[in-house]
Amino acid sequence: MTTKADRAVNRTGVYLAVLQLVFTLGWTTYVIYLPKLCADVGIAPATVILILMMDQGIFTITDTAMGMAADRISRMVGRLGVFVGILAAISCAAFIALPYVAGTGPGAKVWLIALIVIWAVTSSALRAPPLTLLGKYRAEPSVPFLAALAMLGYGIAGAVSPYLGVVLRNHDARLPFVLSGAVLLLTALAFSGIERRIAKEAQPERLAPPAKRLGAVPMFLIASMVLLSLGYQLHFNINSAPFYLRFAKPDELQWLMPVFWIGFNIAMFPASIVVRHRGGLIVMGAAGLLGAFAIIAAEIAGSLNALIVAQFLAGAAWGCMLMSAVSAALAIGETGAEGKVTGLVFSALALATFARMAAVAGGLQKIPDYAPLVHWAPVACWSVAGAGLLVIAASRLQRGAKSA
Protein backbone atom coordinates (compact mmCIF):
# COMPACT_ATOMS: atom_id res chain seq x y z
CA MET A 1 0.00 0.00 0.00
CA THR A 2 1.34 3.42 -1.00
CA THR A 3 1.99 5.68 1.97
CA LYS A 4 1.80 9.45 2.14
CA ALA A 5 5.60 9.61 2.25
CA ASP A 6 5.85 7.45 -0.89
CA ARG A 7 3.47 9.76 -2.74
CA ALA A 8 5.53 12.78 -1.67
CA VAL A 9 8.69 11.08 -2.95
CA ASN A 10 7.04 10.30 -6.29
CA ARG A 11 5.78 13.87 -6.67
CA THR A 12 9.29 15.19 -6.10
CA GLY A 13 10.68 12.88 -8.78
CA VAL A 14 7.96 13.80 -11.27
CA TYR A 15 8.60 17.49 -10.67
CA LEU A 16 12.33 17.08 -11.29
CA ALA A 17 11.58 15.06 -14.45
CA VAL A 18 9.33 17.82 -15.79
CA LEU A 19 11.95 20.46 -14.95
CA GLN A 20 14.69 18.56 -16.78
CA LEU A 21 12.36 17.85 -19.72
CA VAL A 22 11.32 21.48 -20.18
CA PHE A 23 14.86 22.78 -19.71
CA THR A 24 16.37 20.33 -22.22
CA LEU A 25 13.65 21.01 -24.79
CA GLY A 26 14.39 24.73 -24.38
CA TRP A 27 18.06 24.05 -25.08
CA THR A 28 17.06 22.03 -28.18
CA THR A 29 14.89 24.91 -29.39
CA TYR A 30 17.84 27.27 -28.90
CA VAL A 31 20.19 25.03 -30.91
CA ILE A 32 17.67 24.67 -33.74
CA TYR A 33 17.15 28.40 -34.14
CA LEU A 34 20.61 29.74 -33.25
CA PRO A 35 21.91 29.71 -36.88
CA LYS A 36 18.92 31.80 -38.00
CA LEU A 37 19.21 34.19 -35.04
CA CYS A 38 22.89 34.71 -35.82
CA ALA A 39 22.15 35.26 -39.51
CA ASP A 40 19.56 37.91 -38.61
CA VAL A 41 22.18 40.01 -36.82
CA GLY A 42 24.95 39.38 -39.34
CA ILE A 43 27.00 36.77 -37.47
CA ALA A 44 28.77 34.39 -39.87
CA PRO A 45 27.50 30.77 -39.95
CA ALA A 46 30.96 29.48 -39.01
CA THR A 47 30.69 31.39 -35.71
CA VAL A 48 27.61 29.46 -34.54
CA ILE A 49 29.66 26.47 -33.36
CA LEU A 50 31.92 28.87 -31.43
CA ILE A 51 28.89 30.36 -29.66
CA LEU A 52 27.70 26.86 -28.72
CA MET A 53 31.18 26.07 -27.41
CA MET A 54 31.08 29.30 -25.40
CA ASP A 55 27.79 28.14 -23.84
CA GLN A 56 29.33 24.83 -22.80
CA GLY A 57 32.39 26.58 -21.41
CA ILE A 58 30.10 28.75 -19.28
CA PHE A 59 28.13 25.69 -18.11
CA THR A 60 31.39 23.97 -17.11
CA ILE A 61 32.11 26.76 -14.65
CA THR A 62 28.65 27.85 -13.51
CA ASP A 63 27.17 24.37 -12.92
CA THR A 64 29.74 23.76 -10.19
CA ALA A 65 29.39 27.30 -8.85
CA MET A 66 25.60 26.95 -8.63
CA GLY A 67 25.95 23.61 -6.86
CA MET A 68 28.28 25.14 -4.28
CA ALA A 69 25.89 28.05 -3.80
CA ALA A 70 23.03 25.58 -3.31
CA ASP A 71 24.96 23.84 -0.52
CA ARG A 72 25.25 27.10 1.40
CA ILE A 73 21.81 28.56 0.68
CA SER A 74 19.82 25.35 1.29
CA ARG A 75 20.75 25.33 4.99
CA MET A 76 17.96 27.90 5.43
CA VAL A 77 14.65 26.43 4.27
CA GLY A 78 12.96 28.46 1.56
CA ARG A 79 16.06 30.42 0.52
CA LEU A 80 17.06 27.95 -2.20
CA GLY A 81 13.64 28.22 -3.82
CA VAL A 82 13.91 32.01 -3.90
CA PHE A 83 17.45 31.78 -5.31
CA VAL A 84 16.37 29.38 -8.08
CA GLY A 85 13.22 31.40 -8.80
CA ILE A 86 15.07 34.70 -9.24
CA LEU A 87 17.73 33.24 -11.51
CA ALA A 88 15.10 31.30 -13.47
CA ALA A 89 13.17 34.51 -14.08
CA ILE A 90 16.31 36.24 -15.39
CA SER A 91 17.21 33.20 -17.49
CA CYS A 92 13.74 32.87 -19.04
CA ALA A 93 13.50 36.61 -19.75
CA ALA A 94 16.84 36.54 -21.58
CA PHE A 95 15.80 33.39 -23.46
CA ILE A 96 12.46 34.83 -24.61
CA ALA A 97 14.15 38.07 -25.69
CA LEU A 98 16.60 36.32 -28.04
CA PRO A 99 14.43 36.14 -31.19
CA TYR A 100 13.01 39.63 -30.63
CA VAL A 101 16.47 41.20 -30.28
CA ALA A 102 17.77 39.24 -33.28
CA GLY A 103 14.83 40.49 -35.32
CA THR A 104 16.02 44.09 -35.03
CA GLY A 105 18.90 43.41 -37.43
CA PRO A 106 22.71 43.69 -37.57
CA GLY A 107 22.85 46.45 -34.99
CA ALA A 108 21.83 43.97 -32.28
CA LYS A 109 24.84 41.66 -32.65
CA VAL A 110 26.40 42.61 -29.29
CA TRP A 111 23.02 42.53 -27.53
CA LEU A 112 22.33 39.02 -28.82
CA ILE A 113 25.65 37.72 -27.53
CA ALA A 114 25.09 39.46 -24.18
CA LEU A 115 21.65 37.85 -23.80
CA ILE A 116 23.09 34.43 -24.66
CA VAL A 117 25.74 34.84 -21.94
CA ILE A 118 23.15 35.95 -19.36
CA TRP A 119 20.89 33.02 -20.26
CA ALA A 120 23.76 30.50 -20.09
CA VAL A 121 25.01 31.73 -16.71
CA THR A 122 21.61 31.88 -14.99
CA SER A 123 20.21 28.67 -16.48
CA SER A 124 22.73 26.66 -14.45
CA ALA A 125 20.49 27.30 -11.44
CA LEU A 126 18.01 24.84 -12.97
CA ARG A 127 20.34 21.82 -13.01
CA ALA A 128 22.31 21.01 -9.85
CA PRO A 129 20.40 23.06 -7.21
CA PRO A 130 17.01 21.28 -7.58
CA LEU A 131 18.70 17.87 -7.48
CA THR A 132 20.59 18.93 -4.37
CA LEU A 133 17.39 18.61 -2.36
CA LEU A 134 17.38 14.85 -2.93
CA GLY A 135 20.66 14.37 -1.10
CA LYS A 136 19.89 16.84 1.68
CA TYR A 137 16.32 15.91 2.55
CA ARG A 138 15.21 12.60 1.07
CA ALA A 139 15.89 9.26 2.73
CA GLU A 140 18.91 7.64 1.09
CA PRO A 141 17.09 4.51 -0.22
CA SER A 142 14.72 6.65 -2.30
CA VAL A 143 17.45 8.72 -3.99
CA PRO A 144 18.28 6.32 -6.89
CA PHE A 145 14.62 6.08 -7.93
CA LEU A 146 14.24 9.86 -7.74
CA ALA A 147 17.44 10.33 -9.76
CA ALA A 148 16.04 7.96 -12.40
CA LEU A 149 12.80 9.96 -12.52
CA ALA A 150 14.73 13.22 -12.86
CA MET A 151 16.91 11.86 -15.67
CA LEU A 152 13.77 10.50 -17.38
CA GLY A 153 12.95 14.07 -18.37
CA TYR A 154 16.41 14.40 -19.91
CA GLY A 155 15.93 11.12 -21.79
CA ILE A 156 12.47 11.98 -23.10
CA ALA A 157 13.80 15.30 -24.38
CA GLY A 158 16.61 13.48 -26.16
CA ALA A 159 14.11 11.11 -27.80
CA VAL A 160 11.82 13.84 -29.12
CA SER A 161 14.58 16.24 -30.20
CA PRO A 162 14.84 14.87 -33.78
CA TYR A 163 11.09 15.35 -34.26
CA LEU A 164 11.26 18.80 -32.71
CA GLY A 165 13.92 19.78 -35.22
CA VAL A 166 11.71 18.68 -38.12
CA VAL A 167 8.60 20.44 -36.77
CA LEU A 168 10.22 23.77 -35.84
CA ARG A 169 12.65 24.15 -38.70
CA ASN A 170 10.40 26.32 -40.85
CA HIS A 171 8.48 28.17 -38.13
CA ASP A 172 9.03 31.63 -36.68
CA ALA A 173 11.28 31.50 -33.62
CA ARG A 174 9.29 33.83 -31.38
CA LEU A 175 6.41 31.54 -30.42
CA PRO A 176 8.59 28.49 -29.53
CA PHE A 177 10.89 30.69 -27.44
CA VAL A 178 7.99 32.31 -25.60
CA LEU A 179 6.29 28.97 -24.91
CA SER A 180 9.52 27.29 -23.78
CA GLY A 181 10.52 30.19 -21.55
CA ALA A 182 7.08 30.61 -19.98
CA VAL A 183 6.63 26.91 -19.20
CA LEU A 184 10.14 26.66 -17.78
CA LEU A 185 9.59 29.71 -15.58
CA LEU A 186 6.30 28.36 -14.20
CA THR A 187 7.97 25.02 -13.49
CA ALA A 188 10.92 26.68 -11.77
CA LEU A 189 8.69 28.92 -9.63
CA ALA A 190 7.01 25.82 -8.21
CA PHE A 191 10.38 24.83 -6.75
CA SER A 192 9.96 26.93 -3.61
CA GLY A 193 6.81 25.05 -2.60
CA ILE A 194 8.48 21.73 -3.35
CA GLU A 195 11.45 22.69 -1.18
CA ARG A 196 9.30 23.65 1.82
CA ARG A 197 7.21 20.49 1.58
CA ILE A 198 10.31 18.30 1.44
CA ALA A 199 11.96 20.16 4.31
CA LYS A 200 8.99 19.49 6.61
CA GLU A 201 9.60 15.75 6.22
CA ALA A 202 13.40 15.95 6.55
CA GLN A 203 15.51 14.98 9.53
CA PRO A 204 17.45 18.04 10.78
CA GLU A 205 20.67 16.07 11.16
CA ARG A 206 20.87 15.59 7.37
CA LEU A 207 21.47 19.31 6.90
CA ALA A 208 25.23 19.27 7.32
CA PRO A 209 27.39 22.34 6.67
CA PRO A 210 29.15 22.43 3.28
CA ALA A 211 32.31 20.34 3.11
CA LYS A 212 35.46 22.37 2.58
CA ARG A 213 37.32 19.71 0.59
CA LEU A 214 36.31 16.72 -1.49
CA GLY A 215 37.97 13.35 -0.98
CA ALA A 216 39.68 11.11 -3.51
CA VAL A 217 36.54 9.11 -4.37
CA PRO A 218 34.40 12.12 -5.40
CA MET A 219 37.25 13.44 -7.53
CA PHE A 220 37.67 10.04 -9.20
CA LEU A 221 33.92 9.98 -9.81
CA ILE A 222 34.09 13.33 -11.61
CA ALA A 223 37.15 12.32 -13.66
CA SER A 224 35.34 9.13 -14.67
CA MET A 225 32.24 11.14 -15.55
CA VAL A 226 34.29 13.28 -17.94
CA LEU A 227 35.44 10.13 -19.76
CA LEU A 228 31.98 8.56 -19.78
CA SER A 229 30.38 11.79 -21.04
CA LEU A 230 33.00 12.15 -23.76
CA GLY A 231 32.30 8.58 -24.87
CA TYR A 232 28.58 9.35 -25.07
CA GLN A 233 29.14 12.59 -26.99
CA LEU A 234 31.40 11.00 -29.59
CA HIS A 235 29.27 7.89 -30.00
CA PHE A 236 25.81 9.41 -30.21
CA ASN A 237 26.43 12.82 -31.76
CA ILE A 238 29.19 11.91 -34.22
CA ASN A 239 29.21 8.17 -34.90
CA SER A 240 25.57 7.07 -34.61
CA ALA A 241 24.20 8.74 -37.74
CA PRO A 242 26.94 7.28 -40.01
CA PHE A 243 26.28 3.86 -38.46
CA TYR A 244 22.61 4.06 -39.44
CA LEU A 245 23.37 5.45 -42.89
CA ARG A 246 25.09 2.17 -43.74
CA PHE A 247 21.64 0.58 -43.83
CA ALA A 248 19.07 3.41 -43.91
CA LYS A 249 18.26 6.58 -45.82
CA PRO A 250 18.88 10.06 -44.32
CA ASP A 251 15.16 10.81 -43.91
CA GLU A 252 14.82 7.71 -41.70
CA LEU A 253 17.28 8.99 -39.09
CA GLN A 254 14.56 10.88 -37.22
CA TRP A 255 12.93 7.51 -36.46
CA LEU A 256 16.14 5.60 -35.73
CA MET A 257 18.15 8.00 -33.55
CA PRO A 258 15.59 7.90 -30.66
CA VAL A 259 16.28 4.15 -30.22
CA PHE A 260 19.26 5.15 -28.07
CA TRP A 261 17.01 7.22 -25.80
CA ILE A 262 14.37 4.50 -25.55
CA GLY A 263 17.04 2.24 -24.07
CA PHE A 264 18.17 5.11 -21.84
CA ASN A 265 14.69 5.65 -20.37
CA ILE A 266 13.82 1.99 -19.88
CA ALA A 267 17.04 0.84 -18.22
CA MET A 268 17.30 3.49 -15.50
CA PHE A 269 14.50 2.21 -13.27
CA PRO A 270 15.61 -1.42 -12.85
CA ALA A 271 19.18 -0.13 -12.48
CA SER A 272 18.04 2.19 -9.67
CA ILE A 273 17.12 -0.89 -7.62
CA VAL A 274 20.68 -2.20 -7.97
CA VAL A 275 22.07 1.22 -7.05
CA ARG A 276 19.90 1.23 -3.94
CA HIS A 277 21.46 -2.02 -2.71
CA ARG A 278 24.98 -1.92 -4.20
CA GLY A 279 25.77 1.75 -4.70
CA GLY A 280 26.15 3.99 -7.71
CA LEU A 281 29.84 3.43 -8.43
CA ILE A 282 29.50 -0.29 -9.14
CA VAL A 283 26.53 0.28 -11.47
CA MET A 284 28.40 3.08 -13.29
CA GLY A 285 31.37 0.78 -13.79
CA ALA A 286 29.37 -2.20 -15.00
CA ALA A 287 27.31 0.02 -17.32
CA GLY A 288 30.51 1.52 -18.74
CA LEU A 289 31.82 -1.91 -19.71
CA LEU A 290 28.43 -3.02 -21.08
CA GLY A 291 28.21 0.19 -23.10
CA ALA A 292 31.69 -0.38 -24.55
CA PHE A 293 30.63 -3.82 -25.79
CA ALA A 294 27.42 -2.31 -27.23
CA ILE A 295 29.43 0.28 -29.18
CA ILE A 296 31.68 -2.47 -30.56
CA ALA A 297 28.53 -4.34 -31.63
CA ALA A 298 27.30 -1.18 -33.36
CA GLU A 299 30.63 -0.81 -35.15
CA ILE A 300 30.56 -4.35 -36.56
CA ALA A 301 26.76 -4.71 -37.01
CA GLY A 302 25.95 -6.40 -40.31
CA SER A 303 22.28 -5.42 -40.50
CA LEU A 304 19.93 -2.65 -39.44
CA ASN A 305 18.22 -4.86 -36.86
CA ALA A 306 21.54 -5.75 -35.22
CA LEU A 307 22.50 -2.07 -35.16
CA ILE A 308 19.18 -1.11 -33.55
CA VAL A 309 19.73 -3.66 -30.77
CA ALA A 310 23.29 -2.40 -30.21
CA GLN A 311 22.12 1.22 -30.06
CA PHE A 312 19.35 0.30 -27.64
CA LEU A 313 21.92 -1.35 -25.35
CA ALA A 314 24.31 1.60 -25.65
CA GLY A 315 21.49 3.96 -24.66
CA ALA A 316 20.54 1.70 -21.76
CA ALA A 317 24.14 1.73 -20.58
CA TRP A 318 24.35 5.54 -20.76
CA GLY A 319 21.09 5.84 -18.82
CA CYS A 320 22.49 3.62 -16.07
CA MET A 321 25.73 5.63 -16.01
CA LEU A 322 24.04 9.01 -15.74
CA MET A 323 21.43 7.97 -13.16
CA SER A 324 24.11 6.20 -11.09
CA ALA A 325 26.42 9.23 -11.32
CA VAL A 326 23.73 11.51 -9.88
CA SER A 327 22.92 8.98 -7.15
CA ALA A 328 26.60 8.51 -6.31
CA ALA A 329 27.18 12.27 -6.24
CA LEU A 330 24.35 12.76 -3.77
CA ALA A 331 25.49 9.83 -1.61
CA ILE A 332 29.16 10.80 -1.60
CA GLY A 333 28.26 14.40 -0.81
CA GLU A 334 26.28 13.54 2.33
CA THR A 335 28.60 15.70 4.43
CA GLY A 336 27.07 18.85 2.99
CA ALA A 337 28.64 18.85 -0.49
CA GLU A 338 25.69 17.37 -2.39
CA GLY A 339 25.34 20.44 -4.56
CA LYS A 340 29.06 20.76 -5.24
CA VAL A 341 29.50 17.14 -6.37
CA THR A 342 26.27 17.17 -8.39
CA GLY A 343 27.34 20.43 -9.99
CA LEU A 344 30.67 18.83 -10.90
CA VAL A 345 28.78 15.98 -12.60
CA PHE A 346 26.93 18.49 -14.79
CA SER A 347 30.17 20.37 -15.40
CA ALA A 348 31.70 17.11 -16.63
CA LEU A 349 28.81 16.74 -19.07
CA ALA A 350 29.34 20.29 -20.33
CA LEU A 351 33.10 19.82 -20.66
CA ALA A 352 32.60 16.66 -22.73
CA THR A 353 30.09 18.48 -24.93
CA PHE A 354 32.64 21.27 -25.41
CA ALA A 355 35.28 18.72 -26.45
CA ARG A 356 32.92 17.09 -28.96
CA MET A 357 32.01 20.46 -30.47
CA ALA A 358 35.69 21.35 -30.71
CA ALA A 359 36.34 18.10 -32.56
CA VAL A 360 33.50 18.85 -34.99
CA ALA A 361 34.63 22.45 -35.47
CA GLY A 362 38.12 21.20 -36.28
CA GLY A 363 36.76 18.61 -38.72
CA LEU A 364 38.55 15.84 -36.79
CA GLN A 365 36.12 13.15 -37.94
CA LYS A 366 36.79 14.05 -41.60
CA ILE A 367 40.59 13.73 -41.40
CA PRO A 368 41.53 10.20 -42.56
CA ASP A 369 44.32 9.82 -39.99
CA TYR A 370 41.99 10.68 -37.09
CA ALA A 371 38.76 9.01 -38.24
CA PRO A 372 39.60 5.65 -36.55
CA LEU A 373 40.38 7.55 -33.33
CA VAL A 374 36.94 9.19 -33.34
CA HIS A 375 35.29 5.83 -34.02
CA TRP A 376 37.04 3.89 -31.27
CA ALA A 377 37.50 6.62 -28.64
CA PRO A 378 34.01 5.98 -27.14
CA VAL A 379 34.93 2.33 -26.56
CA ALA A 380 38.15 3.37 -24.85
CA CYS A 381 36.44 6.03 -22.73
CA TRP A 382 33.66 3.77 -21.49
CA SER A 383 35.83 0.70 -20.90
CA VAL A 384 38.66 2.52 -19.08
CA ALA A 385 36.28 4.54 -16.88
CA GLY A 386 34.09 1.49 -16.26
CA ALA A 387 36.99 -0.70 -15.20
CA GLY A 388 38.37 2.02 -12.92
CA LEU A 389 35.01 2.56 -11.25
CA LEU A 390 34.62 -1.16 -10.59
CA VAL A 391 38.05 -1.25 -8.96
CA ILE A 392 37.16 1.70 -6.71
CA ALA A 393 33.75 0.18 -5.88
CA ALA A 394 35.36 -3.17 -4.99
CA SER A 395 37.93 -1.42 -2.80
CA ARG A 396 35.19 0.47 -0.94
CA LEU A 397 33.19 -2.71 -0.43
CA GLN A 398 36.28 -4.51 0.89
CA ARG A 399 37.03 -1.71 3.37
CA GLY A 400 33.40 -1.73 4.47
CA ALA A 401 33.52 -5.48 5.06
CA LYS A 402 36.71 -5.19 7.11
CA SER A 403 35.32 -2.38 9.28
CA ALA A 404 32.13 -4.40 9.83
Side-chain angles (χ1 to χ4, degrees):
M1 184 175 180
T2 304
T3 65
K4 183 178 180 181
D6 292 333
R7 289 194 295 270
V9 167
N10 293 338
R11 284 197 300 269
T12 304
V14 170
Y15 167 78
L16 291 171
V18 172
L19 182 62
Q20 291 298 320
L21 171 63
V22 176
F23 176 82
T24 308
L25 289 178
W27 164 258
T28 303
T29 301
Y30 165 76
V31 172
I32 291 169
Y33 283 108
L34 183 60
K36 183 180 183 303
L37 298 180
C38 289
D40 289 343
V41 297
I43 295 176
T47 308
V48 172
I49 186 67
L50 299 180
I51 294 175
L52 291 172
M53 289 171 63
M54 176 192 72
D55 294 334
Q56 297 302 323
I58 291 172
F59 293 155
T60 301
I61 297 171
T62 55
D63 281 348
T64 299
M66 291 295 179
M68 294 171 66
D71 284 331
R72 295 185 178 280
I73 296 171
S74 61
R75 296 183 67 193
M76 300 185 68
V77 176
R79 292 290 181 86
L80 185 59
V82 173
F83 174 75
V84 170
I86 291 173
L87 291 183
I90 297 171
S91 176
C92 292
F95 183 79
I96 291 171
L98 289 174
Y100 292 94
V101 169
T104 62
K109 185 183 300 184
V110 174
W111 290 108
L112 181 68
I113 298 298
L115 283 173
I116 289 174
V117 171
I118 293 170
W119 166 73
V121 170
T122 53
S123 66
S124 288
L126 299 172
R127 283 188 288 273
L131 288 169
T132 300
L133 292 187
L134 301 184
K136 291 189 180 296
Y137 293 112
R138 285 303 181 199
E140 185 178 347
S142 66
V143 169
F145 176 73
L146 292 174
L149 269 179
M151 292 301 101
L152 179 65
Y154 176 76
I156 292 174
V160 303
S161 290
Y163 311 128
L164 196 64
V166 173
V167 170
L168 296 180
R169 191 171 296 150
N170 298 319
H171 285 74
D172 184 271
R174 287 173 293 184
L175 181 59
F177 271 74
V178 169
L179 289 176
S180 297
V183 173
L184 181 58
L185 179 58
L186 291 174
T187 306
L189 291 178
F191 180 71
S192 182
I194 297 287
E195 180 194 9
R196 291 183 180 278
R197 185 163 63 245
I198 293 176
K200 287 181 181 179
E201 305 165 4
Q203 298 176 358
E205 59 267 27
R206 288 186 63 83
L207 298 178
K212 293 183 179 180
R213 183 180 300 176
L214 295 180
V217 174
M219 296 310 298
F220 186 84
L221 167 69
I222 301 308
S224 300
M225 196 60 203
V226 172
L227 280 179
L228 296 174
S229 301
L230 182 60
Y232 152 68
Q233 288 290 338
L234 294 175
H235 170 68
F236 181 75
N237 290 293
I238 295 181
N239 296 339
S240 289
F243 287 167
Y244 280 123
L245 291 176
R246 299 196 313 239
F247 311 105
K249 298 177 181 178
D251 59 357
E252 294 176 323
L253 287 178
Q254 62 180 307
W255 308 108
L256 293 170
M257 294 294 281
V259 168
F260 181 93
W261 295 106
I262 293 172
F264 178 99
N265 292 326
I266 291 176
M268 285 189 296
F269 292 98
S272 71
I273 299 174
V274 183
V275 172
R276 177 176 179 174
H277 294 286
R278 299 297 180 185
L281 294 180
I282 194 169
V283 175
M284 281 181 73
L289 295 181
L290 173 64
F293 284 116
I295 294 175
I296 293 173
E299 286 274 1
I300 65 176
S303 67
L304 180 60
N305 288 338
L307 178 57
I308 288 173
V309 172
Q311 287 289 76
F312 178 90
L313 292 175
W318 175 236
C320 294
M321 291 179 228
L322 191 54
M323 177 275 299
S324 302
V326 173
S327 300
L330 294 172
I332 290 172
E334 281 183 355
T335 55
E338 295 88 351
K340 183 177 183 178
V341 182
T342 306
L344 283 167
V345 168
F346 282 99
S347 291
L349 289 169
L351 182 61
T353 306
F354 178 92
R356 185 260 301 175
M357 290 178 175
V360 172
L364 196 64
Q365 76 278 15
K366 298 178 181 178
I367 302 174
D369 292 341
Y370 291 100
L373 174 64
V374 175
H375 270 284
W376 292 105
V379 176
C381 288
W382 280 8
S383 57
V384 169
L389 285 163
L390 286 179
V391 170
I392 294 297
S395 175
R396 284 168 60 88
L397 287 173
Q398 187 176 21
R399 286 199 301 268
K402 286 182 179 180
S403 62

